[in-house]
């Protein structure tokens, strides 16, 4: 059973790369640009969250009620 799980996980990773390649081929440079924009936004949100957590260090949430 464990061997079957390991072999069935491999095509999923390859399918993600093949699917991205097909999207890039169909849409052109818009796909990598949109990945770059989305990644930048995610980094900015995570940076803002870390700043909020460092500014108000409490164990439960960002703003106590």
């Amino acid at each position: 059973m464990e061997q079957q799980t390991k072999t069935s996980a491999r095509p999923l990773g390859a399918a993600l790369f093949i699917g991205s390649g097909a999207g890039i081929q169909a849409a052109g440079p818009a796909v990598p640009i949109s990945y770059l924009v989305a990644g930048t936004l995610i980094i900015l949100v995570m940076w803002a969250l870390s700043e909020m957590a460092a500014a108000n260090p409490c164990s439960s949430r960002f703003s106590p009620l």
Side-chain angles (χ1 to χ4, degrees):
M1 185 69 176
E2 186 175 324
Q3 182 65 24
Q4 182 181 5
T5 305
K6 288 180 181 178
T7 58
S8 64
R10 289 184 191 151
L12 179 63
L16 290 175
F17 287 117
I18 291 171
S20 296
I24 291 171
Q25 185 177 10
V31 174
I33 291 171
S34 65
Y35 282 174
L36 182 66
V37 170
T40 303
L41 288 174
I42 289 170
I43 288 172
L44 289 174
V45 167
M46 294 306 294
W47 184 25
L49 287 172
S50 67
E51 288 289 333
M52 289 191 321
N56 187 9
C58 64
S59 62
S60 61
R61 55 187 178 269
F62 288 124
S63 60
L65 297 176

